[in-house]
């Protein structure tokens, strides 16, 4: 599936670093999402953007900062992360009013 | 809040049927989904069911919904080694943007 791409695929960062995750969708959708996937825990919805406006922020710590410059691109800016933030971060997109979300392959983040 | 639960692991032999179960707490769920995640990949929608249905069949996949017990199952007939993956149950009652996922069930298919 190349409809939703994410870069980088793997990222190792120290707790004092600043990095960004990038997501791009080539499907013409108008909603984009960030999810966190940790081992043995349900997928956690972090942020939802619809028509480039943030419509959901699930009590995510401020060390995670999303940005949606247009309907095709979504970023997750990271700073001062904790080891418990290590996880797979998944991006998804959908078309408003349509039931299916399309997922990217994820970025495996390790915080040391 | 809403909760979706799944068993963590299922092992079957190639050619057998697999049944993956899911329970949910939200009685007002409108759509229920099954997603598949292969190693190194994102989630892929396999099938979904509306809450006013009790069964849906799609080739080798059969979804059963028991609304009274809030129980959803996915049956895979003639399971193949390529079906080895993590299967996620999800539900929504607030629109398609807010899905509540289970922990996922890892299916291992042995030859």
């Amino acid at each position: 599936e190349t409809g939703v791409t994410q870069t980088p695929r793997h990222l190792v960062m120290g707790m004092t670093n600043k990095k960004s995750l990038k997501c791009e969708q080539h499907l013409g959708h108008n909603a984009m999402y960030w999810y966190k996937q940790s081992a043995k825990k349900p997928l956690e919805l972090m942020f939802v953007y619809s028509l480039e406006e943030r419509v959901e922020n699930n009590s995510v710590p401020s060390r995670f900062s999303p940005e949606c410059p247009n309907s095709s691109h979504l970023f997750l800016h990271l700073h001062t992360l904790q080891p418990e933030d290590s996880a797979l971060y998944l991006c998804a997109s959908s078309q408003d009013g349509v039931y299916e979300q399309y997922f990217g392959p994820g970025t495996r983040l390790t915080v040391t | 809040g809403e909760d979706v639960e799944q068993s963590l692991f299922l092992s079957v032999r190639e050619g057998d049927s697999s049944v993956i179960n899911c329970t949910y707490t939200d009685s007002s769920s409108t759509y229920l989904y099954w997603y598949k995640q292969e190693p190194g990949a994102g989630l892929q929608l396999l099938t979904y069911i509306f809450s006013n249905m009790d069964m849906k069949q799609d080739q080798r996949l059969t979804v059963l919904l028991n609304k009274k017990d809030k129980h959803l199952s996915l049956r895979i007939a003639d399971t193949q080694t390529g079906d080895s993956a993590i299967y996620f149950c999800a539900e929504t009652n607030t629109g398609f943007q807010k899905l509540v996922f289970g922990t996922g069930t890892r299916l291992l298919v042995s030859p």
Side-chain angles (χ1 to χ4, degrees):
Chain A
E1 172 60 60
T2 56
V4 181
T5 57
Q6 291 187 241
T7 54
R9 294 294 307 275
H10 299 272
L11 177 62
V12 179
M13 60 186 287
M15 290 192 285
T16 58
N17 291 160
K18 286 185 180 182
K19 296 284 185 184
S20 295
L21 310 185
K22 179 182 175 183
C23 175
E24 184 173 359
Q25 60 95 0
H26 311 273
L27 301 167
H29 290 163
N30 58 12
M32 297 187 77
Y33 311 75
W34 280 117
Y35 287 89
K36 177 182 179 183
Q37 184 178 16
S38 305
K40 297 182 182 177
K41 291 179 69 176
L43 240 67
E44 298 171 56
L45 178 64
M46 300 174 72
F47 301 104
V48 180
Y49 276 82
S50 179
L51 300 172
E52 299 153 43
E53 295 288 326
R54 192 189 309 179
V55 297
E56 186 79 30
N57 176 352
N58 267 358
S59 303
V60 179
S62 60
R63 57 186 183 268
F64 295 91
S65 174
E67 179 191 1
C68 188
N70 55 61
S71 59
S72 299
H73 294 86
L74 185 65
F75 295 89
L76 188 62
H77 304 298
L78 316 171
H79 66 96
T80 327
L81 293 192
Q82 305 298 311
E84 61 264 28
D85 297 323
S86 297
L88 183 68
Y89 288 85
L90 292 165
C91 174
S93 72
S94 71
Q95 184 65 25
D96 266 351
V98 178
Y99 59 84
E100 183 169 3
Q101 293 184 17
Y102 290 78
F103 284 79
T107 295
R108 173 69 62 187
L109 173 67
T110 303
V111 181
T112 59
Chain B
E2 303 96 343
D3 196 23
V4 176
E5 293 192 359
Q6 301 176 239
S7 54
L8 289 178
F9 190 74
L10 176 66
S11 179
V12 300
R13 289 199 174 273
E14 193 172 21
D16 288 350
S17 291
S18 307
V19 179
I20 302 171
N21 294 301
C22 169
T23 57
Y24 59 97
T25 57
D26 188 354
S27 57
S28 57
S29 295
T30 51
Y31 286 82
L32 297 112
Y33 305 80
W34 284 104
Y35 277 84
K36 177 183 180 182
Q37 184 180 32
E38 298 188 49
L43 277 67
Q44 175 192 3
L45 181 67
L46 280 180
T47 187
Y48 67 95
I49 190 167
F50 299 123
S51 59
N52 62 359
M53 300 167 64
D54 51 20
M55 187 181 95
K56 181 178 181 181
Q57 188 150 2
D58 185 0
Q59 299 182 338
R60 291 191 299 123
L61 305 179
T62 303
V63 179
L64 294 178
L65 174 61
N66 181 329
K67 280 195 72 176
K68 176 175 168 291
D69 295 338
K70 300 192 192 68
H71 182 267
L72 183 74
S73 68
L74 174 69
R75 178 176 180 270
I76 306 173
D78 187 27
T79 314
Q80 303 297 306
T81 54
D83 295 323
S84 293
I86 303 175
Y87 291 81
F88 291 90
C89 171
E91 63 88 18
T92 184
N93 73 346
T94 57
F96 304 124
Q97 291 181 346
K98 190 166 184 180
L99 302 185
V100 178
F101 284 86
T103 52
T105 298
R106 184 178 294 275
L107 174 65
L108 177 64
V109 183
S110 53

